[in-house]
Amino acid sequence: MLHRLEKEESFMHKGLRKQLIEELCEKGIKDERVLEAMGRIPRHYFLDPAFERIAYEDRAFPILAGQTISQPYTVAYQSQFLEVKRFDKILEIGTGSAYQACVLAEMGAWVYTIERQRQLFEHNNDFFYLKHYPHLKRFYGDGFEGLPSFAPFDKVIITAAAPFVPPKLVEQMKTGGIMIIPVDVDDEGSSQQMKRITKTASGYKEEMLDHFSFVPMLGGKGKN
C-alpha cells in the first residue's frame, strides 16, 4: 500500500544523498552522468520506511522475496562500466527494487527489465515512482532466456550472481554491445568477479574487473 502513495523528500534526504554522491566520487566513480542520475533519485522511496534514515548509507538492504537492493557503489560501478548513452536499449536481468533500472532510465536509456520473483514483480506494479519513466518496461520471466522478441540490445546488465555467461543473452546483443555481469568464481557462489563482455562478429571478448558479492541468478520463474 505504501508503494502506491506519492511521497515527498525532505532537505535531510537531499543532504544525505549529496553525501552519498561525494562518497562514491571518493571511491572512484568518475562518470558524471551516473553520479548526476543517482543524485536525483530518492533511494529511500525503494526501501521499507524502517530504513528511511539510513537509506543513503553505502550498503545493501533487504527487500521482498529474500532479495536485496544493491549497495550504491555497486550500482554506480556497473552503470559506469556499461558506458550508458542516451537512447541505449538496455536489457536488465533482475529488477529487484527497480532502483538500478531507474538509474539507467534517468540517464536516458530505454530499459527492459526482467524479474523472476512474482512477489517483487507484482509489488512494483503499484510503485508510484516508476511512472516517472515511461521508457522503463518490466517483465516477469526467466532472465536466462532474455527477451528475444525485443532484441537486439545495445547493452545488457546482470544484477545477480551468474554461474556462467548466458549464451542466449549474448545472442540478443548487437555486435559491439556491452554486457556487465558478475560471474561466480567458485562452486560455492560466495564471490563473483565482475566481467565486461563485448560482443564481436565472431563471439565475444571478456574484460576482468573487480570482485563483488551478489544474490544468485536463478533460472525459471519464482512461484511466489
Side-chain angles (χ1 to χ4, degrees):
M1 183 65 181
L2 290 174
H3 240 37
R4 299 179 181 179
L5 303 176
E6 290 276 352
K7 297 181 182 179
E8 294 182 359
E9 58 173 337
S10 66
F11 287 112
M12 177 193 74
H13 293 127
K14 293 177 180 178
L16 292 173
R17 192 156 66 247
K18 185 174 183 294
Q19 290 177 19
L20 172 61
I21 298 307
E22 291 171 353
E23 185 177 348
L24 295 178
C25 288
E26 292 172 359
K27 291 183 175 181
I29 302 301
K30 305 297 184 186
D31 190 320
E32 289 295 333
R33 294 183 62 243
V34 171
L35 295 168
E36 289 170 2
M38 294 182 68
R40 289 190 292 265
I41 297 177
R43 189 175 187 241
H44 64 282
Y45 287 0
F46 298 78
L47 293 166
D48 186 281
F51 298 114
E52 189 162 320
R53 288 186 171 271
I54 56 175
Y56 295 97
E57 293 182 6
D58 189 23
R59 60 187 175 110
F61 289 101
I63 56 174
L64 295 176
Q67 304 301 298
T68 60
I69 180 173
S70 293
Q71 178 184 357
Y73 174 74
T74 304
V75 172
Y77 184 97
Q78 287 195 282
S79 300
Q80 177 168 272
F81 276 98
L82 201 60
E83 299 180 6
V84 180
K85 296 181 176 61
R86 191 168 181 80
F87 305 123
D88 268 351
K89 190 176 177 182
I90 300 179
L91 173 63
E92 180 194 37
I93 307 302
T95 312
S97 69
Y99 179 70
Q100 172 72 81
C102 287
V103 170
L104 300 174
E106 184 69 27
M107 294 174 71
W110 293 54
V111 182
Y112 298 74
T113 181
I114 302 175
E115 176 56 55
R116 71 176 298 275
Q117 299 286 353
R118 181 183 292 276
Q119 184 183 18
L120 267 175
F121 178 79
E122 293 182 349
H123 183 65
N124 281 328
N125 286 343
D126 298 321
F127 187 13
F128 77 93
Y129 191 72
L130 298 187
K131 297 175 184 177
H132 290 257
Y133 302 108
H135 299 313
L136 194 167
K137 308 298 183 184
R138 298 182 305 109
F139 301 83
Y140 171 57
D142 183 345
F144 283 96
E145 298 296 321
L147 294 170
S149 60
F150 292 92
F153 296 95
D154 299 292
K155 310 284 170 61
V156 177
I157 180 171
I158 318 293
T159 63
F164 51 82
V165 177
K168 291 184 179 180
L169 301 187
V170 176
E171 290 174 8
Q172 293 171 35
M173 294 166 62
K174 293 180 180 178
T175 299
I178 294 172
M179 176 190 294
I180 299 296
I181 177 171
V183 180
D184 288 334
V185 296
D186 54 44
D187 293 337
E188 286 74 33
S190 57
S191 177
Q192 296 81 42
Q193 181 159 35
M194 198 73 75
K195 294 184 178 183
R196 179 159 63 177
I197 307 295
T198 303
K199 186 171 180 178
T200 65
S202 58
Y204 63 86
K205 60 180 182 180
E206 293 185 349
E207 179 182 355
M208 304 298 182
L209 304 174
D210 294 321
H211 287 80
F212 288 85
S213 180
F214 284 80
V215 296
M217 179 179 176
L218 303 174
K221 294 180 181 180
K223 296 181 180 179
N224 298 319

